[in-house]
């Protein structure tokens, strides 16, 4: 790998190629194709290969999150544009009113700020009902 004094660059420059035996290479290749054709299930693989697969899958999925989000926003915008002008205006006003109902709190300034924030956030997904956001602490354990 690398020496203690030289750290590899994020580009991968400076990293040495990891070598495995021909037998291990054939086994991993066969497992990959068997996963692809459905003749093998992920849980059947050794834990280390399962971890590698899972991390690679998650990294690949995350690498497309921005594109998926942008495409979802476009789809929602086109969906909303399919409405006539009056129907679109009515739909957006109803969503704003729902957001206002959710943000019904005693302090008027806070109510208006929260209403506007919820309404704007809800425009990211026009087809879902407006809800107060929830906080969830998601933790992933890596083997």
């Amino acid at each position: 790998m690398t020496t203690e004094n030289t750290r590899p660059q994020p580009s991968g420059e400076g990293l040495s190629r990891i070598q495995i035996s021909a037998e291990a290479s054939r086994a991993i290749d066969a497992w990959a194709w068997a996963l692809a054709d459905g003749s093998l299930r992920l849980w059947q693989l050794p834990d280390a290969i399962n971890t590698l697969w899972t991390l690679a899958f998650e990294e690949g999925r995350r690498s497309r999150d921005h594109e998926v989000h942008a495409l979802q926003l476009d789809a929602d915008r086109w969906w909303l544009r399919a409405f006539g002008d009056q129907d679109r205006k009515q739909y957006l006003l109803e969503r704003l009113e729902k957001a206002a109902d959710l943000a019904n709190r005693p302090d008027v300034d806070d109510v208006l700020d929260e209403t506007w924030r919820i309404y704007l956030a809800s425009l990211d997904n026009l087809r879902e009902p407006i809800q107060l956001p929830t906080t969830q602490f998601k933790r992933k354990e890596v083997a």
Side-chain angles (χ1 to χ4, degrees):
M1 299 284 183
T2 58
T3 63
E4 293 175 23
N5 296 334
T6 60
R7 293 186 61 161
Q9 298 299 314
S11 65
E13 191 175 320
L15 292 176
S16 60
R17 188 172 171 97
I18 296 172
Q19 299 293 321
I20 59 173
S21 71
E23 182 181 351
S25 181
R26 281 191 299 275
I28 293 169
D29 193 52
W31 293 337
W33 287 110
L35 284 168
D37 71 16
S39 62
L40 181 68
R41 299 289 183 256
L42 193 55
W43 62 265
Q44 293 176 281
L45 295 175
D47 289 342
I49 298 295
N50 193 318
T51 299
L52 178 65
W53 178 280
T54 302
L55 291 173
F57 178 85
E58 284 299 316
E59 178 61 29
R61 186 190 54 73
R62 268 194 311 274
S63 74
R64 302 308 293 258
D65 280 352
H66 178 71
E67 181 181 2
V68 169
H69 181 69
L71 290 170
Q72 183 63 51
L73 290 176
D74 280 346
D76 284 346
R77 274 192 286 275
W78 284 107
W79 177 80
L80 187 60
R81 289 191 66 179
F83 284 78
D85 287 341
Q86 249 343 83
D87 291 337
R88 183 179 324 118
K89 180 179 177 182
Q90 185 61 37
Y91 179 79
L92 291 173
L93 287 173
E94 286 172 9
R95 287 183 69 82
L96 184 56
E97 190 163 322
K98 287 179 185 176
D101 289 342
L102 288 173
N104 189 13
R105 301 209 172 109
D107 186 340
V108 173
D109 289 335
D110 289 342
V111 169
L112 292 175
D113 290 344
E114 182 73 1
T115 300
W116 187 245
R117 187 187 63 71
I118 289 172
Y119 176 68
L120 290 178
S122 80
L123 293 177
D124 280 348
N125 192 346
L126 290 171
R127 300 181 217 187
E128 295 294 322
I130 298 173
Q131 301 174 1
L132 284 173
T134 58
T135 302
Q136 295 178 348
F137 293 101
K138 294 182 180 178
R139 298 179 186 192
K140 284 189 176 183
E141 291 189 34
V142 178

